[in-house]
Amino acid sequence: MDRREFFLGGAAALSVGAAWGTNAFAQQAAAINLNVQNASFDLGKGITHGLVSTVSNAPPPVLRLRKNQLAKLRVSNQLSDYTTMHWHGLRIPNKMDGVPYLTQFPIGPGSSFDYEFTPPDSGTYWYHPHCQTMEQMAHGLTGILVVEDENDPQFDAEIVLNLKDFHLDKNGGLDTPYTKRGAARGGTMGNVMTSNWLQNPTYDAPAGGIVRLRIAATDTARIYRLALSGAKGKVVAIDGHATDLVPWPTKDAPLILAPGQRVDMAIQMPEEGRAVTLNHHALSGSRALAQLRPVGQSLKHQLRDLPALPRNQLPEPDLSAAETHEFLFGWTPEADPQNNGWCGSLGYSFWSINKTPWPGDAEPNVGPLAEMKLGKSYILRLRNESPNDHPIHLHGLVFKLLRSNKREIPQIWTDTAHLLKDETMEVALVADNLGDWAFHCHVIEHQKSGLAGYLSVV
Ligand code: C2O
Ligand code: CU
Ligand code: CU
C-alpha cells in the first residue's frame, strides 16, 4: 500500500481533502464522519480481526483540517463499548475535548457526538479515544490530524507516519495489550511494530525533492528513538509547532519520541537507487520502521532553499509574574482500581500525582490538581521521582519547556513533556483556555493505573 492508497483507505478524509483543491472549505465546512467500528487488516501475520478503526479495512485516515477554519466531525459509535474522541494537541473549547465525565458523557453504542471546533494552530496532531482508551487505542484507533496553513511552504511530497505497535498471538489474533507487570514498569510493548499499520512499508518520493515527513508516536507504551539514514534533513516542528532548536538526529543521538509526541522533518531525497530508512535505535538494537524510495529524475531541490514553516501564535508566559505549581509523579500502589464508569478499568492502581492516585474518570466530586486563573502565567514544576519515563500531557493548552535538572533541553512549545527517570522539568504557560483540562501520563497503562488528573482554568 503506498501513500496514495493509504489516503484512499480513508474515504472520509479523501472526500474532504479533495474539496480543498479549491476554496470550497472556506465557505462551507464539510462534516467529516468518523464511524468508529471494528476492522480487519493484515498486519503481517495474516488477517487480524477485532481491530478498531473508522473504516472496516484500513487504519483511521489522516484528517486534514485548516488553521482558523471551522471543522465539524461527527463521531458515530458502531462498537458495543462506549467511546469518545480526543483531538490531541489542539487548543479548542473544553466541551469539544472528548474527555468522558469531565467534558462530555461517553458516546454509547449506536450513538454519536458532534465535535465542532476551529483549530487555532497548524501542524501535526492526532486523534484517539479517551474512553476504553487502552483497548481501543491498542487495537488501532489512533489517527493523525494535520492542520494545514495557507503559509506552509510548498514541499515536493508529504509522507505521514503513524507509529504504533500491535500485540498479536501466533495466528495474528489480538492479545491482551496490557499486563500488571507492564503497568507497574514502563508499559507493555507490542510484538509487531508498524507504520500506518504496515511493517516497514516503502513510500515513493521524488528523487532530489524536499519531502515533509510527519511522524506521530501513537503507541500506548513504546518510546521511539528515531533517526533517518541515507538522507540529509532537518527537524522543522515538534508537537505541531515550528522550531529550529532541535538538532538533526543521528544513530548515536536519536530523536526521542514518546507516546503522544510528533515530529515534522524536512528531508532532502537522494538520487534514484539510493535507500532512505527511518530507524528505531533501541538500546537492544536497531530496526527499520519505514523506507522512502527516491523515484524519477532528480528535482535537484536544496534543503537550504526551503522557507521556514509559519509560526503559530502562542501565548508567551510572563515569567516574572508566574506562580509555580508543583506536581510529583510517583509510585503509590495501595489504591483502589479506577472507577471509569462506562470507560473501562485495568483493575489495579500503581501510580499517583502528588501522592494521590486518580480515582477514576467517573468518580464523583474529584477536584482539580490545581486551579489557574484565565490569562495568568504559570510555571509547572514536573517532578518524576520514579525509575520509569513519563510523557506528561496537558490538554487544551500549550506550554514551553524551560529547564531540566538532568540535561540541556530546547525551549520548545509542546503539549507533552517527556520526563526521564528522576527528572524534574519546569515548563511555563499562559492559562488562556477556560475549562477542566485532563493532565496525565501518555503511557496508557500509567494513565489508567493512577497517573492522571486535571487542571482547571477559571
Ligand atoms: Cu492524547 Cu488525554 O490524550
Ligand atoms: Cu490531549
Ligand atoms: Cu507514565
Side-chain angles (χ1 to χ4, degrees):
M1 191 152 90
D2 67 17
R3 172 167 173 267
R4 185 173 297 118
E5 283 163 350
F6 176 60
F7 283 122
L8 284 169
L14 182 75
S15 57
V16 174
W20 286 350
T22 67
N23 284 327
F25 196 74
Q27 289 106 43
Q28 47 166 166
I32 298 175
N33 285 304
L34 294 174
N35 300 318
V36 177
Q37 59 188 286
N38 283 123
S40 302
F41 195 82
D42 188 343
L43 297 160
K45 289 195 170 193
I47 303 283
T48 297
H49 299 285
L51 295 163
V52 184
S53 183
T54 59
V55 280
S56 65
N57 58 357
V62 176
L63 299 180
R64 290 185 175 266
L65 308 180
R66 285 230 151 165
K67 179 170 168 167
N68 295 332
Q69 288 187 20
L70 179 68
K72 299 181 180 184
L73 302 117
R74 170 165 295 177
V75 174
S76 302
N77 182 1
Q78 300 176 357
L79 301 173
S80 52
D81 266 329
Y82 282 72
T83 193
T84 63
M85 202 63 83
H86 169 60
W87 320 96
H88 182 124
L90 295 190
R91 303 186 296 141
I92 56 177
N94 195 240
K95 60 181 193 302
M96 295 293 123
D97 198 41
V99 179
Y101 305 100
L102 194 66
T103 70
Q104 70 169 94
F105 194 76
I107 308 168
S111 305
S112 67
F113 189 94
D114 289 336
Y115 294 92
E116 251 188 68
F117 51 78
T118 303
D121 303 314
S122 57
T124 305
Y125 302 90
W126 63 295
Y127 59 101
H128 63 80
H130 228 279
C131 174
Q132 299 289 345
T133 316
M134 187 69 232
E135 279 84 354
Q136 291 176 13
M137 274 181 62
H139 294 167
L141 192 53
T142 71
I144 294 185
L145 195 167
V146 170
V147 182
E148 296 181 336
D149 197 310
E150 56 182 8
N151 298 316
D152 272 331
Q154 200 53 54
F155 286 85
D156 296 312
E158 178 171 309
I159 293 169
V160 182
L161 298 177
N162 177 355
L163 306 184
K164 80 179 297 307
D165 286 6
F166 288 88
H167 304 69
L168 301 184
D169 64 24
K170 278 194 282 300
N171 309 314
L174 288 170
D175 247 345
T176 313
Y178 57 93
T179 58
K180 209 167 175 175
R181 185 186 157 84
R185 293 175 177 77
T188 307
M189 300 306 142
N191 52 359
V192 174
M193 292 178 72
T194 67
S195 302
N196 302 336
W197 289 22
L198 301 169
Q199 295 185 44
N200 193 14
T202 297
Y203 297 93
D204 288 351
I210 306 295
V211 174
R212 182 175 191 157
L213 184 59
R214 301 180 187 260
I215 305 174
T218 79
D219 191 49
T220 51
R222 186 177 299 279
I223 295 164
Y224 293 89
R225 299 166 54 84
L226 302 176
L228 218 67
S229 63
K232 290 185 295 182
K234 59 182 173 188
V235 171
V236 292
I238 296 280
D239 295 339
H241 306 292
T243 182
D244 49 16
L245 299 177
V246 175
W248 182 243
T250 62
K251 183 174 192 290
D252 298 320
L255 182 86
I256 315 275
L257 210 63
Q261 297 185 311
R262 292 86 64 207
V263 59
D264 287 48
M265 297 175 178
I267 294 160
Q268 167 120 47
M269 290 298 290
E271 303 306 305
E272 245 186 1
R274 309 271 283 279
V276 179
T277 306
L278 177 71
N279 293 298
H280 168 53
H281 295 292
L283 302 173
S284 56
S286 301
R287 62 190 291 159
L289 297 177
Q291 309 288 330
L292 310 187
R293 181 170 54 199
V295 292
Q297 259 226 313
S298 176
L299 296 179
K300 294 196 160 47
H301 289 167
Q302 296 299 327
L303 200 55
R304 62 171 177 271
D305 297 332
L306 180 74
L309 293 191
R311 297 267 162 172
N312 290 318
Q313 277 202 354
L314 304 174
E316 192 64 47
D318 175 0
L319 296 179
S320 66
E323 194 184 314
T324 299
H325 285 299
E326 185 146 331
F327 302 95
L328 182 65
F329 305 105
W331 174 256
T332 306
E334 323 60 32
D336 294 334
Q338 289 184 6
N339 167 16
N340 289 328
W342 296 108
C343 292
S345 170
L346 301 187
Y348 36 78
S349 184
F350 295 126
W351 300 96
S352 60
I353 302 182
N354 292 342
K355 308 267 186 217
T356 309
W358 176 241
D361 299 351
E363 189 69 10
N365 307 318
V366 182
L369 292 160
E371 226 173 63
M372 302 187 285
K373 295 252 173 340
L374 185 67
K376 288 232 176 326
S377 294
Y378 292 88
I379 291 174
L380 312 183
R381 183 175 297 133
L382 311 175
R383 284 178 56 203
N384 177 12
E385 59 160 19
S386 80
N388 297 102
D389 289 18
H390 301 289
I392 300 297
H393 172 52
L394 176 60
H395 289 212
L397 301 166
V398 67
F399 53 83
K400 193 188 223 179
L401 303 185
L402 295 181
R403 54 195 152 256
S404 151
N405 66 337
K406 286 199 85 159
R407 51 181 167 150
E408 288 296 323
I409 50 172
Q411 295 205 335
I412 52 168
W413 294 94
T414 175
D415 50 69
T416 308
H418 178 212
L419 296 188
L420 306 175
K421 160 185 165 59
D422 297 322
E423 184 173 31
T424 297
M425 222 186 254
E426 289 188 344
V427 309
L429 57 76
V430 179
D432 63 351
N433 201 357
L434 275 176
D436 295 332
W437 299 110
F439 183 55
H440 60 85
C441 180
H442 226 293
V443 172
I444 306 300
E445 286 161 284
H446 293 174
Q447 176 192 1
K448 295 297 167 194
S449 64
L451 214 161
Y454 70 96
L455 310 185
S456 288
V457 178
V458 295

